[in-house]
Amino acid sequence: MNFQLSSEGQEFVKKELKRYETKESAIIPCLFRVQKENAGWVSSESVGYLSQLMDIPEARINEVFQFYTMFNQVPVGKYHVQVCCNVACCMAGTREIIEEFCKEHNVAEGDVTSDKRFTFTRVECLGACDKAPMMQINDDYYEDLTMDSAKQILRGLK
Amino acid sequence: MAEVKMLTEHYADDSYCGIEGYQAKKGYEMLKKALKMPPAEIVTMVKDSGLRGRGGAGFPTGMKWSFLPNNGEERYLLCNADEGEPCTFKDRMMMERAPHQLIEGMIISAFAVQSKKSYIYIRGEYQFAVKVLEQAIQEAYKAGYLGQNILGSGFSHDMDIYVGAGAYICGEETGMISSLEGLKGQPKLKPPFPAVKGYLRKPTIVNNVETLASVIYILRDGVEAYRKFGTQKSPGTKLFSVSGDVMKPGNYEVPLGYKLKDLIEIECGGLKLGRQLKAVIPGGTSAPVLTAEEANRATLDYECLADMKSMLGSGSIVVIDDSRCMVDMLGVITHFYHHESCGQCTPCREGTGWLNKVVSAIKAGNGTQKDIDTLCKVADNMKGRTICALSDAAALPVLSFVPKFRSEFEYYIREGKSQVRGISYAQMHH
Ligand SMILES: Cc1cc2nc3c(=O)[nH]c(=O)nc-3n(C[C@H](O)[C@H](O)[C@H](O)COP(=O)(O)O)c2cc1C
Ligand code: SF4
Ligand code: FES
């Protein structure tokens, strides 16, 4: 087994297991932690690892893992570009933006670019509709976009 | 009456976010007052204030609280900060600008219902709000507003945050409870209602962020003064998240009963130059769409919108002008519900799939005139037959968009392209 959490990560898991009324409530926060330490996605191998660490059956963890959209079941680029394509953002032109991104980087939605830098995904409303069109890159919101500013933001990422 | 800043009075002040700035504006004073009152008296005040839940369903808050059984069982308070209803962004602002307001409202509410433990269930995308709240909860513990024997009152309360991981259905109260229990976020059959058997099968009160914060002002101003705002059946102020085709989208706090037309024209600066109003979605995408004529008559209260066969919902308002294709807009909405159905109930799982498939076919230029009836029939069959209200929420947009803008759907089917845009969405956006 290759995947392992850092020692801080392991400490985190220990604490979360005791934090809530039920041990199983720790599954979501621990999956987030794994995702963070595993380049933005959760492999089946890491679920196995977590299962041992938490002493919770793998199937039980998978049930939660597969239910929620914020857990990535396949590798993602260094920058996970999540473009909101719900009502207000569509009205403001986000579908055109994500299509342009994919064209410019020659990649299909949900796939990783060949330089491993980007994954482009459509997501549902992120609660920033007054600042539409908007997108989220990793943890950060980028709002009031235009086609040009959106491209500029990608270029500006290290 | 225009904007009334009760909840949002100090939101422009950056220091309000921290405990000192919050206290400088009389923050936590109402907690001190509450702790000296008999808890039942607070419940009565909230009942008499007529406060209705701000999360979507509009259920009377005080009444919900009084459903708690008196059996000595431990009680939980859950704050619903999942804010998944498309085009709603008021709770995020509240948590980012005024975390202590929510915390104070929660401690008062917890005291009123005698709960020793609460969670704020917040959607995982709201990373910044999570950080702000974590810090604020620590500050509140340090100041003695949380923990054992709060301010020497004998009342103890612990508060924690639980961060969701992306699922609209976790905003539904029993879905949220499942999620917090470490299960898939699937709703449970009601009854029993959470107030009787909720989190860990214990009596549980679930309230929205805005509802819990509002409790402070009922206590501060008293029932009568609070009821001066709003209407007889919809007292108080409410935050509305306005987006779409207006000059100044944003959150606005107005008294309930305020004219929708005024909100659009005064607060939001009207439509873009040369544009006409076509439609308004008044309460999140689950709320049936209003035509321009209806929107111009509507007042923002629970009764008026119910009379118009729509709803106030979460208070998110999407303004749609005459440059928009209603077929395309409905497509975005049916896609959303199809994506978010948790799949437990057949009418919802199959129905959301069908609706999305049919609207997509129309958008791709492959529609037939029969599709219009199919859409309405499928949507009709999804209503009132499922574990939770998502199925109805998915059906209602269809049952309003299609009849109210029928000629646009017919045109699209006949010509294979949008009447408004003159294009087909087939090549685009798929
Ligand atoms: C599909 C669905 C999604 C919901 N999403 C939310 C939400 O994001 N936030 C919220 O406060 N209530 C949401 N609700 C309503 C909750 O079930 C519940 O009524 C509410 O949290 C109660 O609080 P309130 O009475 O203070 O409004 C949703 C309901 C349904 C059926
Ligand atoms: S109505 Fe839909 S979302 Fe609600 S429980 Fe049933 S399948 Fe799940
Ligand atoms: S529709 Fe994009 S943030 Fe709400």
Side-chain angles (χ1 to χ4, degrees):
Chain A
M1 202 179 280
N2 293 323
F3 178 81
Q4 255 203 323
L5 282 171
S6 63
S7 52
E8 297 88 62
Q10 295 178 26
E11 272 312 301
F12 174 87
V13 170
K14 260 189 219 150
K15 271 201 204 130
E16 290 295 303
L17 280 168
K18 285 192 220 120
R19 176 169 169 182
Y20 311 100
E21 271 76 351
T22 52
K23 184 175 161 188
E24 285 76 13
S25 306
I27 298 174
I28 287 182
C30 292
L31 280 167
F32 271 128
R33 182 75 195 202
V34 166
Q35 180 154 297
K36 197 167 140 196
E37 293 196 18
N38 190 51
W41 73 296
V42 180
S43 59
S44 53
E45 184 201 1
S46 61
V47 171
Y49 167 80
L50 204 54
S51 159
Q52 289 195 353
L53 195 62
M54 298 180 77
D55 192 23
I56 293 175
E58 209 166 317
R60 187 68 189 70
I61 296 180
N62 270 321
E63 198 178 290
V64 172
F65 169 49
Q66 281 155 13
F67 187 79
Y68 297 94
T69 55
M70 286 178 75
F71 298 128
N72 298 312
Q73 305 188 20
V74 290
V76 292
K78 178 172 177 204
Y79 298 105
H80 189 193
V81 180
Q82 308 186 65
V83 183
C84 170
C85 288
N86 210 300
V87 175
C89 283
C90 276
M91 289 169 82
T94 43
R95 290 177 298 193
E96 289 80 357
I97 291 174
I98 189 169
E99 278 157 25
E100 181 63 24
F101 281 170
C102 289
K103 214 161 88 192
E104 194 176 308
H105 292 86
N106 196 18
V107 70
E109 279 175 36
D111 288 353
V112 186
T113 54
S114 52
D115 60 3
K116 304 259 193 319
R117 276 168 63 75
F118 296 111
T119 298
F120 303 108
T121 324
R122 292 181 197 225
V123 293
E124 300 301 349
C125 178
L126 291 167
C129 331
D130 53 339
K131 307 258 164 44
M134 66 82 65
M135 62 182 171
Q136 182 178 15
I137 304 179
N138 298 343
D139 277 352
D140 299 319
Y141 278 22
Y142 295 84
E143 303 168 329
D144 289 321
L145 302 172
T146 62
M147 185 67 87
D148 283 344
S149 73
K151 286 185 181 177
Q152 204 61 46
I153 288 164
L154 294 201
R155 269 185 229 118
L157 296 168
K158 288 280 160 304
Chain B
M1 211 186 318
E3 256 189 299
V4 172
K5 295 195 172 178
M6 183 149 70
L7 293 159
T8 57
E9 186 181 355
H10 303 294
Y11 280 23
D13 181 346
D14 285 336
S15 72
Y16 200 58
C17 209
I19 195 158
E20 277 166 26
Y22 183 69
Q23 283 170 323
K25 305 283 190 229
K26 301 210 163 73
Y28 289 109
E29 290 302 314
M30 287 307 118
L31 173 63
K32 291 174 192 160
K33 177 174 167 181
L35 291 173
K36 294 190 187 112
M37 290 167 67
E41 197 181 312
I42 304 172
V43 177
T44 305
M45 277 183 83
V46 172
K47 227 192 247 174
D48 294 344
S49 75
L51 174 67
R52 298 172 64 161
R54 304 299 196 223
F59 193 82
T61 305
M63 196 190 296
K64 183 188 283 185
W65 290 6
S66 54
F67 288 159
L68 286 166
N70 260 323
N71 54 5
E73 270 187 293
E74 186 169 355
R75 295 165 170 184
Y76 290 98
L77 174 68
L78 304 184
C79 169
N80 191 341
D82 197 53
E83 193 160 71
E85 183 67 26
C87 301
T88 314
F89 45 92
K90 64 180 179 78
D91 297 338
R92 182 164 77 96
M93 176 181 77
M94 295 189 71
M95 294 184 285
E96 289 180 358
R97 303 301 307 174
H100 285 286
Q101 184 184 50
L102 172 61
I103 294 169
E104 182 178 8
M106 284 181 70
I107 307 170
I108 296 172
S109 303
F111 176 69
V113 303
Q114 291 289 295
S115 156
K116 288 202 201 91
K117 176 85 204 219
S118 61
Y119 283 102
I120 302 173
Y121 186 103
I122 183 168
R123 60 182 299 190
E125 293 88 345
Y126 283 0
Q127 281 302 313
F128 183 66
V130 169
K131 287 197 192 101
V132 172
L133 279 170
E134 273 170 352
Q135 160 115 27
I137 289 178
Q138 270 184 22
E139 287 175 339
Y141 267 105
K142 245 191 228 150
Y145 299 137
L146 282 169
Q148 293 300 307
N149 189 18
I150 297 170
L151 305 174
S153 65
F155 175 67
S156 303
H157 187 78
D158 282 309
M159 187 180 290
D160 203 351
I161 301 181
Y162 195 77
V163 182
Y168 170 62
I169 198 58
C170 292
E172 198 279 338
E173 54 189 8
T174 58
M176 166 173 304
I177 288 169
S178 300
S179 179
L180 187 57
E181 289 169 344
L183 303 162
K184 290 188 271 190
Q186 289 183 322
K188 302 173 185 176
L189 208 57
K190 294 186 268 198
F193 288 93
V196 178
K197 278 196 184 354
Y199 178 51
L200 306 175
R201 313 287 291 165
K202 296 281 198 303
T204 302
I205 294 295
V206 184
N207 275 128
N208 174 259
V209 173
E210 189 184 351
T211 313
L212 292 164
S214 297
V215 170
I216 301 173
Y217 301 90
I218 296 170
L219 224 60
R220 186 190 70 180
D221 300 343
V223 169
E224 220 172 288
Y226 184 80
R227 293 193 78 115
K228 285 220 173 85
F229 298 107
T231 68
Q232 177 62 25
K233 287 187 180 152
S234 306
T237 63
K238 163 115 191 65
L239 270 72
F240 290 94
S241 305
V242 190
S243 62
D245 296 317
V246 288
M247 294 303 288
K248 291 190 287 178
N251 284 310
Y252 298 96
E253 183 179 8
V254 295
L256 286 163
Y258 192 61
K259 283 202 179 90
L260 173 56
K261 188 176 173 14
D262 287 350
L263 181 63
I264 294 172
E265 284 174 7
I266 302 171
E267 274 73 28
C268 300
L271 304 191
K272 290 173 190 144
L273 201 67
R275 286 289 161 209
Q276 299 283 319
L277 185 66
K278 178 171 188 170
V280 176
I281 305 174
T285 56
S286 310
V289 67
L290 304 176
T291 62
E293 185 273 323
E294 289 169 319
N296 283 326
R297 285 190 285 128
T299 53
L300 296 168
D301 48 74
Y302 298 95
E303 317 80 272
C304 173
L305 290 168
D307 282 348
M308 290 186 167
K309 306 219 157 21
S310 185
M311 54 194 191
L312 189 79
S314 58
S316 82
I317 295 175
V318 184
V319 179
I320 300 167
D321 74 20
D322 57 352
S323 70
R324 304 295 174 184
C325 171
M326 296 308 267
V327 180
D328 179 39
M329 303 259 326
L330 183 61
V332 175
I333 295 172
T334 54
H335 177 271
F336 171 73
Y337 289 106
H338 174 49
H339 184 249
E340 299 297 335
S341 168
C342 85
Q344 283 188 99
C345 321
T346 312
C348 176
R349 186 183 61 242
E350 305 281 317
T352 52
W354 265 108
L355 295 180
N356 190 44
K357 209 163 136 185
V358 176
V359 179
S360 301
I362 297 176
K363 269 172 70 171
N366 300 326
T368 65
Q369 290 298 332
K370 259 193 358 224
D371 287 344
I372 293 190
D373 285 339
T374 308
L375 280 175
C376 295
K377 244 184 244 151
V378 171
D380 248 335
N381 279 323
M382 292 166 65
K383 288 199 304 178
R385 306 174 53 208
T386 52
I387 293 176
C388 90
L390 184 138
S391 190
D392 288 71
L396 292 172
V398 171
L399 292 171
S400 54
F401 270 74
V402 175
K404 288 184 187 180
F405 298 93
R406 191 174 173 114
S407 63
E408 257 188 69
F409 284 82
E410 287 173 345
Y411 181 97
Y412 207 127
I413 290 170
R414 204 170 52 238
E415 307 290 331
K417 61 183 183 188
S418 165
Q419 186 173 18
V420 184
R421 291 291 175 102
I423 49 154
S424 165
Y425 286 90
Q427 293 85 28
M428 284 175 73
H429 323 313
H430 241 303

